Amino acid sequence: MSVAKVMEIIAASPNSFDEAVKNGIARASETLQGITGAWVSEQKVAVENGRITEYRVAMRVTFILAD
């Protein structure tokens, strides 16, 4: 029987929301094993002088707990 856990993380990119998601999953994979999926719960941008400077995502990452 497998047991899964969900962890919320926030990731960012200067280029796009898509890249922010990829950055978040890549970084989470360095620490978490058994990642099976993720869903983006929130998207935000940082703005300076009328320009977007950073794309941010909050996401929930699901992973299977090791035996």
Side-chain angles (χ1 to χ4, degrees):
M1 178 178 156
S2 295
V3 176
K5 184 170 180 164
V6 177
M7 179 176 288
E8 186 167 22
I9 65 171
I10 297 170
S13 163
N15 300 314
S16 68
F17 288 119
D18 185 53
E19 187 174 279
V21 171
K22 290 176 184 176
N23 291 345
I25 294 297
R27 177 59 183 89
S29 295
E30 292 176 14
T31 306
L32 303 174
Q33 295 180 349
I35 294 175
T36 60
W39 68 94
V40 175
S41 57
E42 198 170 328
Q43 295 180 328
K44 295 181 180 182
V45 294
V47 177
E48 290 180 23
N49 299 321
R51 300 189 67 164
I52 295 173
T53 58
E54 190 172 57
Y55 297 83
R56 299 175 184 160
V57 294
M59 59 183 158
R60 294 184 177 120
V61 178
T62 304
F63 60 100
I64 304 298
L65 297 176
D67 291 329

